[in-house]
Amino acid sequence: MPNALELKAVSKRYGARTALDGVNLSVEEGQTIAVLGPNGAGKSTLLNIALGLLPATSGSATVLGRKPADALRGGRVGVLLQESGLLEDVPVKELIAAGAGMYPKPLPVELTMRAARVDDLATRPIGKLSGGQRQRVRFALALIGDPDLLVLDEPTVGLDVEGRRALWQEVRARRHTTLFATHYLTEADDYADRVILLAGGRIVADGPVDTIKSLVGGLEVRFTLDGADTGPLWTLPGVLRVRVEGGTAVLQTAASDATLRALFAALPDVRDVRTAGTDLESAFMTLTGGA
Ligand SMILES: Nc1ncnc2c1ncn2[C@@H]1O[C@H](COP(=O)(O)OP(=O)(O)OP(=O)(O)O)[C@@H](O)[C@H]1O
């Protein structure tokens, strides 16, 4: 069986700007993959190339063993893109039924509307919906073709807590391959089998969430910086990395006891000291250069 998605040495340049730089990615069927990265990292560009909506400058992309655009046209791929336009005057149910007509084997319209939680909006014109309701309609349109690959670009933007939970429940229930871009690290933590971390158009980490966390390693020691110079913090025993978040210093350490003893010796007045295991947010900050 071919991989759901295969990118080989894919680069994308917009004039002098490199948006993707030699990206290699194999996605097996059934995986749920989160694409994370700071603004401008190349997430949307990667997703659009995977969908065949954007040509790569070099390298190759295949979806389910075919050219991405052919897979999309053949109805094998469901898509939710950021801010994609919807016909304003058309009622919700009519739009989703029209969407169903574009696929060879669509799911039943009513079932899909329930799954995306738009069943109570059936007769409402799109133009009269809130931002979150429109996003749920986009999700219904992504599901309706019962696709083998679901590609979602920041799918939960504008959704309330319950809306987010319901969307991910639905994605998990389908058990098909899903590739999604998100800024919500908790979504990657909770719902992805695998995380791809992009920075500056390159994959800087790729693996299960736990592996990404362990790449950064060890524990964190946090404390209020109170204007102290961060330079000497690098010399404390065990310290792997130092960063500053607001007025808080965050030390990544391989030996928290030794780091703490030396910290108290170096800064006797240090306050608000806390230690914790590395979370995905810290891994993200470290691996993407704190962007
Ligand atoms: N049509 C375009 N023309 C020129 N540059 C572009 C174009 N689209 C994207 N870029 C640039 O390519 C880089 C990657 O953009 P992309 O939209 O893929 O990032 P992203 O990770 O999705 O960002 P965000 O988190 O802000 O959505 C950015 O530097 C962006 O400015």
Side-chain angles (χ1 to χ4, degrees), residues 49-264:
I49 289 175
L51 290 165
L53 298 174
L54 202 60
T57 308
S58 58
S60 70
T62 52
V63 169
L64 302 155
R66 306 161 70 179
K67 281 190 192 156
D70 290 346
L72 191 65
R73 268 196 298 273
R76 314 258 333 251
V77 186
V79 185
L80 183 160
L81 292 178
Q82 281 185 52
E83 312 274 321
S84 54
L86 297 169
L87 295 168
E88 298 284 305
D89 298 333
V90 181
V92 168
K93 188 170 179 183
E94 225 172 275
L95 184 71
I96 295 168
M102 292 161 63
Y103 290 94
K105 286 188 214 147
L107 294 170
V109 171
E110 309 247 334
L111 184 111
T112 306
M113 290 179 61
R114 270 200 302 282
R117 298 173 67 243
V118 292
D119 45 329
D120 55 340
L121 304 170
T123 56
R124 251 264 227 116
I126 302 292
K128 300 255 159 71
L129 300 181
S130 74
Q133 289 168 335
R134 280 168 189 250
Q135 192 70 346
R136 286 194 243 149
V137 171
R138 289 193 188 98
F139 184 52
L141 290 169
L143 293 179
I144 189 73
D146 194 20
D148 298 315
L149 172 66
L150 201 53
V151 178
L152 311 169
D153 197 357
E154 301 194 31
T156 57
V157 165
L159 294 186
D160 56 25
V161 174
E162 174 53 22
R164 284 182 195 176
R165 200 195 52 75
L167 181 141
W168 290 120
Q169 198 176 12
E170 202 52 44
V171 168
R172 293 300 272 185
R174 295 179 71 258
R175 295 174 186 277
H176 290 310
T177 317
T178 304
L179 184 68
F180 69 96
T182 185
H183 283 284
Y184 298 113
L185 299 177
T186 51
E187 293 190 338
D189 214 346
D190 291 346
Y191 302 109
D193 304 315
R194 176 177 165 197
V195 169
I196 289 169
L197 205 52
L198 274 180
R202 290 168 187 252
I203 295 181
V204 294
D206 175 357
V209 174
D210 287 344
T211 308
I212 303 277
K213 289 179 188 169
S214 68
L215 268 181
V216 180
L219 292 157
E220 281 181 359
V221 175
R222 292 173 174 258
F223 56 92
T224 300
L225 198 52
D226 283 334
D229 181 8
T230 55
L233 301 174
W234 281 99
T235 64
L236 298 179
V239 169
L240 303 169
R241 292 183 183 85
V242 177
R243 65 174 199 280
V244 178
E245 286 177 14
T248 301
V250 185
L251 311 182
Q252 215 104 40
T253 171
S256 56
D257 289 345
T259 303
L260 281 169
R261 268 188 229 111
L263 175 67
F264 285 118

Side-chain angles (χ1 to χ4, degrees), residues 14 17 19 37-45 82 154 183:
Y14 297 103
R17 185 182 301 278
N39 288 135
K43 302 182 293 295
S44 296
T45 303
Q82 281 185 52
E154 301 194 31
H183 283 284

